[in-house]
Amino acid sequence: MRILALVVARGGSKRVPGKNLRLLGGRPLVQWTVDTARSVTELCDVLLSTDDPAIAEVGRARGALVPWLRPATLATDTATAVDVALHALNWYEHECGQVEGLLLLQPTSPFRTAQTVRRTIASFTEHHSRPVVAVAPAADHPLSSFRIVDDVLLPFVEGGGLELRSQDLQPAYVPSGTTYLITPADLRTRRSFYGPEVVPVVVDDPVERLDIDTPWDWTVAEAVVASRSGAWT
């Protein structure tokens, strides 16, 4: 089965400026994901989509395929992951042949393991190419959440479980941002990595599912690296 890994890393980042090139444990953030993907032999290629020449150079140096710089229209805050993925997928299939799966990897999950990538691929194969999304236990259960209407707290889910003990609530999950795997046909038809009958891959390790989106997340990531000195080499 030919599965293409796509690493998406644009140059702009408002909350953590220069995030994808910023050094984490001595390596640019984007390199963590490229290195992990390159270690998974089940992937036919690792394609890096970026609008930044410096990010592109890091990718090439680590063995990723970087044949072009992403068009400016796909490097804005409003450009969607699906648009970026389809741009890369269309180019790759035109130039390198068709693939049976597209694996989206975001550099903001630097501690994702090769094992989780392989689990994602195994689930994709086992479930006859249904979409696979990595998920993590929700930090806050939706039945314990509120909304504010006219300065009044109202249950976010009507008839929810505000009176239930946490151990009595059915487990809830959210996308971890770690892996997304889908067939090209499904992505083109749905224009989404989600849809009916999506297969979950649960990522329990809070370190692995860390998604760097804010300066605080970066601080946590640095603390993780410092606490595991030598474990990432």
Side-chain angles (χ1 to χ4, degrees), residues 54-67:
I55 294 176
E57 186 56 37
V58 170
R60 291 191 188 101
R62 302 306 300 177
L65 178 62
V66 195

PDB file of all heavy atoms in Angstrom, residues 54-67:
ATOM      1  N   ALA A  54      13.494  28.818   4.203  1.00  0.00           N
ATOM      2  CA  ALA A  54      14.318  28.275   5.284  1.00  0.00           C
ATOM      3  C   ALA A  54      13.741  26.951   5.801  1.00  0.00           C
ATOM      4  O   ALA A  54      14.482  26.010   6.097  1.00  0.00           O
ATOM      5  CB  ALA A  54      14.432  29.289   6.430  1.00  0.00           C
ATOM      6  N   ILE A  55      12.414  26.874   5.907  1.00  0.00           N
ATOM      7  CA  ILE A  55      11.773  25.625   6.311  1.00  0.00           C
ATOM      8  C   ILE A  55      12.011  24.565   5.248  1.00  0.00           C
ATOM      9  O   ILE A  55      12.305  23.403   5.552  1.00  0.00           O
ATOM     10  CB  ILE A  55      10.267  25.826   6.551  1.00  0.00           C
ATOM     11  CG1 ILE A  55      10.029  26.748   7.750  1.00  0.00           C
ATOM     12  CG2 ILE A  55       9.563  24.488   6.776  1.00  0.00           C
ATOM     13  CD1 ILE A  55       8.572  27.090   7.999  1.00  0.00           C
ATOM     14  N   ALA A  56      11.909  24.973   3.983  1.00  0.00           N
ATOM     15  CA  ALA A  56      12.151  24.036   2.886  1.00  0.00           C
ATOM     16  C   ALA A  56      13.559  23.459   2.958  1.00  0.00           C
ATOM     17  O   ALA A  56      13.769  22.255   2.740  1.00  0.00           O
ATOM     18  CB  ALA A  56      11.942  24.745   1.546  1.00  0.00           C
ATOM     19  N   GLU A  57      14.535  24.286   3.292  1.00  0.00           N
ATOM     20  CA  GLU A  57      15.918  23.821   3.377  1.00  0.00           C
ATOM     21  C   GLU A  57      16.098  22.812   4.506  1.00  0.00           C
ATOM     22  O   GLU A  57      16.806  21.814   4.351  1.00  0.00           O
ATOM     23  CB  GLU A  57      16.860  25.011   3.578  1.00  0.00           C
ATOM     24  CG  GLU A  57      18.336  24.652   3.541  1.00  0.00           C
ATOM     25  CD  GLU A  57      18.744  23.929   2.261  1.00  0.00           C
ATOM     26  OE1 GLU A  57      18.212  24.267   1.198  1.00  0.00           O
ATOM     27  OE2 GLU A  57      19.581  22.998   2.353  1.00  0.00           O
ATOM     28  N   VAL A  58      15.445  23.058   5.635  1.00  0.00           N
ATOM     29  CA  VAL A  58      15.505  22.097   6.737  1.00  0.00           C
ATOM     30  C   VAL A  58      14.925  20.760   6.283  1.00  0.00           C
ATOM     31  O   VAL A  58      15.489  19.694   6.538  1.00  0.00           O
ATOM     32  CB  VAL A  58      14.738  22.618   7.976  1.00  0.00           C
ATOM     33  CG1 VAL A  58      14.605  21.522   9.025  1.00  0.00           C
ATOM     34  CG2 VAL A  58      15.446  23.824   8.575  1.00  0.00           C
ATOM     35  N   GLY A  59      13.791  20.814   5.594  1.00  0.00           N
ATOM     36  CA  GLY A  59      13.160  19.592   5.131  1.00  0.00           C
ATOM     37  C   GLY A  59      14.045  18.817   4.171  1.00  0.00           C
ATOM     38  O   GLY A  59      14.205  17.596   4.303  1.00  0.00           O
ATOM     39  N   ARG A  60      14.622  19.508   3.208  1.00  0.00           N
ATOM     40  CA  ARG A  60      15.503  18.831   2.237  1.00  0.00           C
ATOM     41  C   ARG A  60      16.705  18.207   2.935  1.00  0.00           C
ATOM     42  O   ARG A  60      17.113  17.087   2.612  1.00  0.00           O
ATOM     43  CB  ARG A  60      15.968  19.825   1.180  1.00  0.00           C
ATOM     44  CG  ARG A  60      14.881  20.318   0.239  1.00  0.00           C
ATOM     45  CD  ARG A  60      15.447  21.086  -0.933  1.00  0.00           C
ATOM     46  NE  ARG A  60      14.382  21.694  -1.718  1.00  0.00           N
ATOM     47  CZ  ARG A  60      14.035  22.970  -1.640  1.00  0.00           C
ATOM     48  NH1 ARG A  60      14.676  23.790  -0.802  1.00  0.00           N
ATOM     49  NH2 ARG A  60      13.038  23.442  -2.375  1.00  0.00           N
ATOM     50  N   ALA A  61      17.265  18.923   3.888  1.00  0.00           N
ATOM     51  CA  ALA A  61      18.448  18.416   4.595  1.00  0.00           C
ATOM     52  C   ALA A  61      18.130  17.143   5.376  1.00  0.00           C
ATOM     53  O   ALA A  61      19.013  16.316   5.601  1.00  0.00           O
ATOM     54  CB  ALA A  61      18.995  19.488   5.539  1.00  0.00           C
ATOM     55  N   ARG A  62      16.855  16.973   5.780  1.00  0.00           N
ATOM     56  CA  ARG A  62      16.464  15.792   6.545  1.00  0.00           C
ATOM     57  C   ARG A  62      15.838  14.709   5.674  1.00  0.00           C
ATOM     58  O   ARG A  62      15.319  13.727   6.182  1.00  0.00           O
ATOM     59  CB  ARG A  62      15.497  16.184   7.664  1.00  0.00           C
ATOM     60  CG  ARG A  62      16.044  17.218   8.633  1.00  0.00           C
ATOM     61  CD  ARG A  62      17.382  16.793   9.212  1.00  0.00           C
ATOM     62  NE  ARG A  62      17.308  15.538   9.959  1.00  0.00           N
ATOM     63  CZ  ARG A  62      18.336  14.934  10.514  1.00  0.00           C
ATOM     64  NH1 ARG A  62      19.558  15.442  10.364  1.00  0.00           N
ATOM     65  NH2 ARG A  62      18.178  13.805  11.194  1.00  0.00           N
ATOM     66  N   GLY A  63      15.876  14.903   4.357  1.00  0.00           N
ATOM     67  CA  GLY A  63      15.435  13.858   3.447  1.00  0.00           C
ATOM     68  C   GLY A  63      14.005  13.943   2.966  1.00  0.00           C
ATOM     69  O   GLY A  63      13.521  13.017   2.311  1.00  0.00           O
ATOM     70  N   ALA A  64      13.304  15.046   3.281  1.00  0.00           N
ATOM     71  CA  ALA A  64      11.937  15.210   2.797  1.00  0.00           C
ATOM     72  C   ALA A  64      11.955  15.681   1.349  1.00  0.00           C
ATOM     73  O   ALA A  64      12.922  16.287   0.873  1.00  0.00           O
ATOM     74  CB  ALA A  64      11.181  16.209   3.663  1.00  0.00           C
ATOM     75  N   LEU A  65      10.871  15.406   0.662  1.00  0.00           N
ATOM     76  CA  LEU A  65      10.686  15.882  -0.706  1.00  0.00           C
ATOM     77  C   LEU A  65      10.087  17.285  -0.635  1.00  0.00           C
ATOM     78  O   LEU A  65       8.994  17.467  -0.087  1.00  0.00           O
ATOM     79  CB  LEU A  65       9.752  14.931  -1.457  1.00  0.00           C
ATOM     80  CG  LEU A  65       9.375  15.271  -2.898  1.00  0.00           C
ATOM     81  CD1 LEU A  65      10.617  15.300  -3.788  1.00  0.00           C
ATOM     82  CD2 LEU A  65       8.350  14.264  -3.419  1.00  0.00           C
ATOM     83  N   VAL A  66      10.814  18.272  -1.168  1.00  0.00           N
ATOM     84  CA  VAL A  66      10.327  19.666  -1.155  1.00  0.00           C
ATOM     85  C   VAL A  66      10.501  20.226  -2.561  1.00  0.00           C
ATOM     86  O   VAL A  66      11.470  20.938  -2.847  1.00  0.00           O
ATOM     87  CB  VAL A  66      11.081  20.533  -0.129  1.00  0.00           C
ATOM     88  CG1 VAL A  66      10.326  21.842   0.114  1.00  0.00           C
ATOM     89  CG2 VAL A  66      11.278  19.795   1.196  1.00  0.00           C
ATOM     90  N   PRO A  67       9.578  19.933  -3.471  1.00  0.00           N
ATOM     91  CA  PRO A  67       9.760  20.288  -4.872  1.00  0.00           C
ATOM     92  C   PRO A  67       9.384  21.714  -5.235  1.00  0.00           C
ATOM     93  O   PRO A  67       9.709  22.184  -6.322  1.00  0.00           O
ATOM     94  CB  PRO A  67       8.836  19.292  -5.585  1.00  0.00           C
ATOM     95  CG  PRO A  67       7.741  19.049  -4.588  1.00  0.00           C
ATOM     96  CD  PRO A  67       8.379  19.112  -3.236  1.00  0.00           C
TER      97      PRO A  67
END
